[in-house]
């Protein structure tokens, strides 16, 4: 992928990816690399006509492109351009379209996390003891400022990318979903905002 993060500023662009099939297609390309519309259709249980249409929409809005390393001129392979999509919630909140798209993508992240946790729990006995011990969640509640939360997001993202690079060729490495979430809680004594 050419760029790490696609910073979306236009609500229409965010809305374009905030479609159930498009977000799945983009996720597949980011996770598993370049693929044809037909391959993606098979993985997702969709028609190739549907995946072709939605891939063209992702191309139109700058999320996906034709893979320059095509294996065969007869097949069109697509690839994600960026590893991540980011946006400003304040910027998106300026329009109903932006608020709706951002809310959809946040819900999608939660749905994906829930599915990953449920799949792991169902398959726990199939994983090694090392993976069974390493997998999990934490729910620490600490007092932080907005600036520190922003710093933590940036630092954690950098650390995760460094760790992924370190483990790139490790035969024990597997795709791991890491979700970092931070939401303030109301503090009746201190007010909020």
């Amino acid at each position: 992928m050419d760029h790490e993060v696609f910073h979306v500023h236009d609500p229409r662009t965010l809305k374009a990816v905030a479609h159930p099939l498009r977000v799945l297609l983009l996720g597949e390309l980011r996770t598993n690399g370049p693929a044809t519309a037909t391959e993606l259709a098979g993985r997702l249980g969709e028609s190739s006509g549907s995946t072709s249409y939605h891939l063209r929409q992702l191309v139109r809005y700058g999320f996906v492109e034709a893979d320059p390393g095509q294996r065969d001129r007869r097949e069109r392979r697509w690839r994600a351009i960026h590893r991540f999509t980011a946006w400003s919630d304040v910027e998106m909140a300026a329009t109903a379209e932006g608020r709706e798209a951002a809310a959809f993508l946040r819900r999608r992240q939660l749905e994906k996390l829930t599915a990953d946790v449920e799949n792991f729990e169902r398959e726990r006995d199939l994983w090694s003891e090392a993976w069974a011990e390493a997998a999990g969640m934490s729910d620490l509640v600490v007092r932080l400022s907005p600036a520190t939360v922003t710093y933590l997001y940036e630092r954690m993202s950098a650390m995760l990318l460094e760790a992924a690079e370190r483990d790139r060729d490790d035969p024990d490495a597997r795709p791991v979903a890491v979700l970092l979430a931070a939401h303030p809680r109301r503090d009746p004594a201190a007010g909020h905002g």
Side-chain angles (χ1 to χ4, degrees):
M1 292 179 216
D2 295 335
H3 313 288
E4 289 294 312
V5 182
F6 182 14
H7 293 279
V8 176
H9 300 285
D10 181 358
R12 289 172 298 187
T13 300
L14 194 61
K15 185 177 179 184
V17 77
H19 177 282
L21 182 53
R22 290 180 201 157
V23 78
L24 290 174
L25 290 167
L26 184 58
E28 277 290 318
L29 293 173
R30 285 178 172 169
T31 301
N32 299 313
T36 66
T38 301
E39 290 168 339
L40 291 165
R43 290 182 210 163
L44 299 174
E46 296 286 336
S47 72
S48 59
S50 180
T51 56
S52 291
Y53 170 79
H54 289 290
L55 283 164
R56 287 192 304 274
Q57 292 304 305
L58 289 170
V59 168
R60 178 179 173 199
Y61 287 96
F63 292 95
V64 169
E65 66 183 0
D67 183 16
Q70 300 279 344
R71 290 188 234 156
D72 181 336
R73 289 178 191 234
R74 292 178 305 225
E75 68 175 3
R76 175 169 263 173
R77 298 182 69 73
W78 302 99
R79 74 174 191 152
I81 298 173
H82 313 89
R83 288 180 95 173
F84 309 101
T85 303
W87 62 89
S88 162
D89 280 319
V90 171
E91 194 173 37
M92 289 301 140
T95 67
E97 186 176 46
R99 281 190 302 276
E100 179 183 327
F104 171 85
L105 290 171
R106 281 191 298 272
R107 283 191 309 275
R108 178 65 184 125
Q109 288 176 309
L110 288 172
E111 290 166 4
K112 185 70 175 123
L113 172 65
T114 300
D116 287 343
V117 170
E118 289 172 351
N119 288 337
F120 179 77
E121 289 301 329
R122 249 190 325 278
E123 301 170 350
R124 181 180 284 276
D125 294 341
L126 303 175
W127 291 96
S128 69
E129 286 183 3
W131 276 114
E133 190 65 34
M137 287 190 246
S138 174
D139 63 349
L140 294 173
V141 177
V142 295
R143 292 183 64 81
L144 300 173
S145 69
T148 299
V149 171
T150 300
Y151 166 79
L152 284 174
Y153 278 126
E154 291 167 358
R155 189 67 200 113
M156 289 297 299
S157 293
M159 288 173 59
L160 285 167
L161 293 174
E162 290 166 15
E165 183 60 29
R166 185 183 67 228
D167 286 355
R168 181 177 42 166
D169 298 322
D170 187 325
D172 290 332
R174 300 290 182 271
V176 175
V178 178
L179 179 70
L180 179 61
H183 297 90
R185 292 182 173 176
R186 292 187 184 270
D187 182 349
H192 64 277

